[in-house]
Amino acid sequence: MPLPEITVHYKDPHSYPSGIAFLDEQYVSMEQAKISVLDYGFLHSDATYDVAHVWKGAFFRLDLHLERFFSSLEKLHMNVPYDRDEITEILHNCVALSGHRDAYVEFICTRGNSPSFSRDPRDAINRFMVFAIPFGSVANKDQMARGLHAAISDRVRIPTSSVDPTIKNYHWLDLVQGIYDAYDKQAETAILLNENGDIAEGPGFNVFAVKDGRVRTPGHGVLQGITRRTVFDLCAELDLSCRETQISPEELSQADEVFISSTAGGVMPITRLNGTSVGAGVLGPIFEKIKKMYWDKHSDPQWSLPIRYSSSA
Ligand code: PLP
């Protein structure tokens, strides 16, 4: 039997959101943004990333995302051949070229691949990439208006003794399985526990409970979210008590208000937990205050960096 011919050009059966990526030193469309199957980012989830958003034509708190990204790189012994200013320019160019005024901007460093497929991570050449696609949110419009329905999962988020959660990472199988558990319980999303049985975080978000006017969020086993940090900053301005603490599943269920935070959507309400109403079952007054201030702050020059859409990359 003759060997089959190698197909060099093929038609990609998938479709992609519109956007621009930066990969191997080039700006390309999302259809063209492909990595090698030998990349350890794919084979071993050996990667770190960050996500910033652009709202009404400006990045929000990009400096904090860059700080977290560089800290994750250092903890994973990875290097990118760009400094902060150069990465800022690449991120900016992806958004400007995409034309999106509201964008989800992800930047990634994978371990890359080693020419000999060596198992020594030091032999791999790290790969940096970026993409800018339309803004996305954990909660859709309807869920934003009425509040998400969440289920507290029995699943334990990968322990901090296994993977440092302050490194933003792709160890998401527990989170994805948690989403399916939630669907089985007729909920829309999941909240996972930490190894002590307390509340940790959910798929792409941090969790907040409000009780007697005080705002609380778990401190252990969670990503130090930039939106979470922003909630702390906003509470300080609003003169609201906001602290890290252990929160048991029972305490979360008995909260007056529950909300979540993510770059993908900002602050978002949860009005049902395990099939039961949270507090009055409607969007809470403290959540509403924080949400308004969160979006108002997007036009504060101290926290935003405008995109120059007319510039060419
Ligand atoms: N927790 C996890 C596991 C996440 O993946 C994310 C964001 O993707 C968050 C929390 C929220 O972090 P941030 O506010 O920086 O988007």
Side-chain angles (χ1 to χ4, degrees):
M1 275 252 279
L3 284 172
E5 274 182 35
I6 297 171
T7 308
V8 178
H9 298 291
Y10 68 101
K11 188 158 169 19
D12 189 336
H14 305 92
S15 60
Y16 300 90
S18 76
I20 295 292
F22 176 84
L23 183 66
D24 296 335
E25 318 262 314
Q26 285 183 324
Y27 293 94
V28 295
S29 69
M30 289 314 297
E31 288 76 11
Q32 293 169 290
K34 305 275 165 72
I35 61 159
S36 165
V37 292
L38 293 178
D39 193 306
Y40 287 116
F42 169 62
L43 294 177
H44 292 173
S45 290
D46 189 351
T48 186
Y49 74 112
D50 220 292
V51 177
H53 73 217
V54 167
W55 188 251
K56 295 192 174 150
F59 276 108
F60 186 60
R61 308 204 84 176
L62 181 59
D63 51 335
L64 297 181
H65 290 280
L66 288 167
E67 210 172 278
R68 184 172 65 181
F69 183 63
F70 276 96
S71 149
S72 298
L73 288 176
E74 199 180 328
K75 289 175 188 167
L76 291 175
H77 307 276
M78 286 180 181
N79 284 300
V80 293
Y82 308 105
D83 64 20
R84 281 173 73 120
D85 289 346
E86 288 164 329
I87 291 187
T88 301
E89 191 181 333
I90 295 167
L91 297 172
H92 174 277
N93 289 345
C94 284
V95 179
L97 289 167
S98 78
H100 297 316
R101 304 204 64 86
D102 303 325
Y104 178 101
V105 186
E106 182 153 342
F107 38 121
I108 306 161
C109 182
T110 65
R111 185 69 58 194
N113 55 281
S114 79
S116 61
F117 204 50
S118 152
R119 290 190 173 261
D120 184 337
R122 294 170 300 185
D123 292 340
I125 300 158
N126 301 164
R127 180 176 270 126
F128 175 72
M129 57 199 106
V130 177
F131 62 85
I133 56 174
F135 183 82
S137 173
V138 173
N140 63 31
K141 227 174 150 191
D142 180 39
Q143 293 164 337
M144 219 43 209
R146 59 146 162 90
L148 277 155
H149 300 171
I152 302 175
S153 177
D154 297 329
R155 246 170 237 283
V156 172
R157 183 79 175 106
I158 191 164
T160 56
S161 51
S162 301
V163 174
D164 176 355
T166 65
I167 301 171
K168 194 164 158 68
N169 66 71
Y170 288 135
H171 286 69
W172 264 60
L173 290 187
D174 47 3
L175 297 171
V176 174
Q177 294 289 90
I179 294 177
Y180 279 101
D181 297 342
Y183 292 161
D184 286 343
K185 297 177 186 166
Q186 277 70 53
E188 296 162 329
T189 192
I191 295 175
L192 272 67
L193 306 176
N194 66 26
E195 61 270 41
N196 306 322
D198 292 316
I199 298 296
E201 60 186 352
F205 56 80
N206 292 114
V207 179
F208 288 83
V210 182
K211 187 77 181 169
D212 301 327
R214 292 194 292 266
V215 182
R216 299 289 180 257
T217 191
H220 179 73
V222 300
L223 175 73
Q224 306 282 307
I226 305 302
T227 322
R228 176 182 184 272
R229 153 82 189 269
T230 300
V231 171
F232 279 102
D233 293 341
L234 299 179
C235 284
E237 284 197 40
L238 288 164
D239 219 8
L240 285 168
S241 156
C242 186
R243 269 204 300 115
E244 276 187 0
T245 184
Q246 296 170 359
I247 302 175
S248 69
E250 295 70 34
E251 283 168 323
L252 193 71
S253 303
Q254 286 157 18
D256 301 329
E257 301 179 31
V258 174
F259 64 91
I260 59 173
S261 68
S262 173
T263 298
V267 286
M268 294 159 276
I270 292 202
T271 48
R272 282 184 84 75
L273 257 185
N274 295 347
T276 307
S277 292
V278 175
V282 294
L283 274 52
I286 291 192
F287 164 75
E288 295 271 35
K289 238 189 237 179
I290 294 171
K291 180 183 161 208
K292 178 174 184 324
M293 197 171 191
Y294 176 80
W295 289 107
D296 286 351
K297 282 283 187 182
H298 281 63
S299 49
D300 181 335
Q302 287 207 322
W303 281 8
S304 59
L305 179 71
I307 307 287
R308 300 174 315 278
Y309 286 91
S310 55
S311 74
S312 58

